[in-house]
Amino acid sequence: MTTTNHPVRQSDRLYHDFLSPEETCEVRHRARKVAADVVAPAARRIANGDERVDGFPGDVFDGLAEAGLFGVPFSAEVGGRGLDHPVTATAVAIEELAYYSSSIAAVFDVHCILAGNALTHGTTAQREKWLPQVARGTTVGAFATTEPEASSDLSPQALRTVAVPHGDTWVLNGRKRWISNSPAAGFIVTLARTGERMSMFIVDTNLPGVTVGEPDRKMGNRGQLTADVWFDEVELENDALLGGEPGHGLRHALATLTLGRIGIAAAGVGMAQAAFDHAVAHLSTREAFGRKLAANQHWQFRMAERAAEIDNARTLYLKAALRRDAGETFAEPEASMAKFSGSALAVDMARDAVQAFGGLGFVREQGADGTPGPVEAIYRDSKIGEIYEGANEILKGVVARTIFGKEITG
């Protein structure tokens, strides 16, 4: 995404927010300023960077920490903001970050929504030890459920990472895949099989036997470093068992991933809004055949449709977040609908923006004068939203089950 000549934010004219509490609007305003000051200047570097361990955007992470943005989801007792609607505030913060960088929104999501939320299921001692570090940004959090042979299927039969009790400790063995933030993480909340059920463990990455591989090299979201993680006879103290009791890991994981869907929905809306704004600015100024591109009915109708879809997608993720804040742990079907709607919209709108810009939409940078491509990175980054934290096909199945019942859908 570009770092200069940002277009006019069309949502300020087109979206009338009657859902967000006042504190959420205040967080959006603050997050937008932080994103403009901290994220925007680094966005192009991040989008086009090489995925190596030193490619983690630590300077931006530290900037968000200094601005207090990591405290938004958490209670005052652990150094957070103590908001009445923390999920809704977190979601709008993610939208504002994703407007400039999907990678940074994903880093924030994994650190706060996945790792951070999982820790809220911990014991008092675990929360007091780890959550202040997450809220202050003094360590980087990661969350590990996926494996080479287990992703959408998190059943005990599919999971190969195993923790076995050994006296007063646990011994962890296994391998995790696509673990975001892992190359920079200080801890990884990890799902493992414990007997016939599953449990989650807080794994300090400095422990002997923990190995984080080289970062994957992906099509997009290059600042969201992912890598394989190996656990080889890792000895964990009992206080590493999340919640203090074995067997609750799947519920903790699913509740966390449901929350994560709201975050990915918000990130999709942020990317879609950015692509929309760039396209509107270009269509309103670029001329062909003696008139503005926006004079063509095709683009008028297409952008009208996209404006409605962005409005709907934003309203849907806010509704899901507000249900979660109201105490609904599994805010379905709204969370799934918001995720597959927002993530698909980001891809569709980014593709339209590339088409509207023509050749300039297809390039990262023009060789003649160094002009950066305004929307190419959004297109690359947007695709992953349809895949991670619940593939869209899986989430459509969740909604279908709500409609028809499990006895029909299976």
Side-chain angles (χ1 to χ4, degrees), residues 74-75 77-79 116-135 202 239 242-243:
F74 304 111
S75 67
E77 289 75 14
V78 296
N117 176 74
L119 290 171
T120 65
H121 298 286
T123 64
T124 300
Q126 289 168 339
R127 294 195 302 271
E128 290 177 348
K129 176 182 179 179
W130 292 104
L131 281 175
Q133 298 181 55
V134 174
I202 308 167
D239 62 5
L242 186 69

Side-chain angles (χ1 to χ4, degrees), residues 198-219:
M198 290 180 281
S199 305
M200 300 203 84
F201 294 86
I202 308 167
V203 182
D204 189 320
T205 56
N206 292 313
L207 288 173
V210 178
T211 303
V212 179
E214 286 294 312
D216 306 304
R217 305 185 84 171
K218 309 184 300 300
M219 178 173 73

Side-chain angles (χ1 to χ4, degrees), residues 355-408:
Q355 191 71 17
F357 274 94
L360 184 57
F362 193 68
V363 300
R364 289 200 305 271
E365 180 180 283
Q366 284 188 294
D369 57 10
T371 299
V375 293
E376 174 267 348
I378 305 176
Y379 196 20
R380 282 191 288 111
D381 288 350
S382 63
K383 180 57 190 173
I384 189 58
E386 296 185 303
I387 299 170
Y388 63 5
E389 295 194 36
N392 283 3
E393 293 79 6
I394 297 292
L395 301 187
K396 289 176 183 179
V398 171
V399 177
R401 192 179 308 129
T402 304
I403 297 169
F404 296 108
K406 193 173 182 179
E407 64 278 5
I408 292 178

Side-chain angles (χ1 to χ4, degrees), residues 238-254:
N238 264 326
D239 62 5
L241 174 62
L242 186 69
E245 295 287 339
H248 302 292
L250 183 59
R251 181 173 178 82
H252 294 332
L254 293 179

Side-chain angles (χ1 to χ4, degrees), residues 167-219:
D168 292 333
T169 65
W170 293 83
V171 177
L172 181 67
N173 284 281
R175 180 180 184 178
K176 296 293 184 180
R177 175 155 288 176
W178 312 122
I179 306 309
S180 297
N181 291 359
S182 60
F187 71 94
I188 304 174
V189 182
T190 303
L191 184 67
R193 183 156 46 87
T194 51
E196 298 300 315
R197 303 182 70 184
M198 290 180 281
S199 305
M200 300 203 84
F201 294 86
I202 308 167
V203 182
D204 189 320
T205 56
N206 292 313
L207 288 173
V210 178
T211 303
V212 179
E214 286 294 312
D216 306 304
R217 305 185 84 171
K218 309 184 300 300
M219 178 173 73

Side-chain angles (χ1 to χ4, degrees), residues 43-301:
R44 186 180 175 202
R45 181 199 83 209
I46 292 169
N48 297 328
D50 194 10
E51 290 164 294
R52 293 295 181 231
V53 173
D54 60 3
F56 182 78
D59 57 334
V60 177
F61 185 92
D62 291 343
L64 300 183
E66 184 177 351
L69 216 58
F70 294 135
V72 168
F74 304 111
S75 67
E77 289 75 14
V78 296
R81 290 283 304 276
L83 299 174
D84 291 330
H85 301 88
V87 177
T88 310
T90 301
V92 302
I94 288 175
E95 181 191 338
E96 296 300 328
L97 295 174
Y99 187 86
Y100 294 110
S101 173
S102 173
S103 290
I104 294 301
V107 168
F108 183 95
D109 176 277
V110 172
H111 178 71
C112 289
I113 288 188
L114 298 187
N117 176 74
L119 290 171
T120 65
H121 298 286
T123 64
T124 300
Q126 289 168 339
R127 294 195 302 271
E128 290 177 348
K129 176 182 179 179
W130 292 104
L131 281 175
Q133 298 181 55
V134 174
R136 292 195 301 265
T138 55
T139 190
V140 178
F143 181 82
T145 57
T146 302
E147 299 182 1
E149 303 300 327
S151 181
S152 296
D153 181 4
L154 294 179
S155 64
Q157 303 93 296
L159 216 63
R160 296 290 179 266
T161 300
V162 176
V164 177
H166 183 71
D168 292 333
T169 65
W170 293 83
V171 177
L172 181 67
N173 284 281
R175 180 180 184 178
K176 296 293 184 180
R177 175 155 288 176
W178 312 122
I179 306 309
S180 297
N181 291 359
S182 60
F187 71 94
I188 304 174
V189 182
T190 303
L191 184 67
R193 183 156 46 87
T194 51
E196 298 300 315
R197 303 182 70 184
M198 290 180 281
S199 305
M200 300 203 84
F201 294 86
I202 308 167
V203 182
D204 189 320
T205 56
N206 292 313
L207 288 173
V210 178
T211 303
V212 179
E214 286 294 312
D216 306 304
R217 305 185 84 171
K218 309 184 300 300
M219 178 173 73
N221 267 30
R222 294 178 181 175
Q224 179 196 8
L225 298 187
T226 66
D228 281 19
V229 180
W230 287 264
F231 305 110
D232 182 14
E233 297 292 305
V234 179
E235 188 170 327
L236 301 172
E237 299 295 330
N238 264 326
D239 62 5
L241 174 62
L242 186 69
E245 295 287 339
H248 302 292
L250 183 59
R251 181 173 178 82
H252 294 332
L254 293 179
T256 298
L257 291 169
T258 299
L259 184 58
R261 293 167 190 167
I262 300 172
I264 299 305
V269 172
M271 284 186 279
Q273 188 68 61
F276 182 88
D277 292 350
H278 280 292
V280 168
H282 182 72
L283 293 168
S284 300
T285 55
R286 176 74 170 179
E287 292 191 1
F289 304 106
R291 62 178 187 169
K292 299 288 193 297
L293 291 179
N296 292 290
Q297 192 178 70
H298 165 78
W299 286 116
Q300 293 174 13
F301 284 10

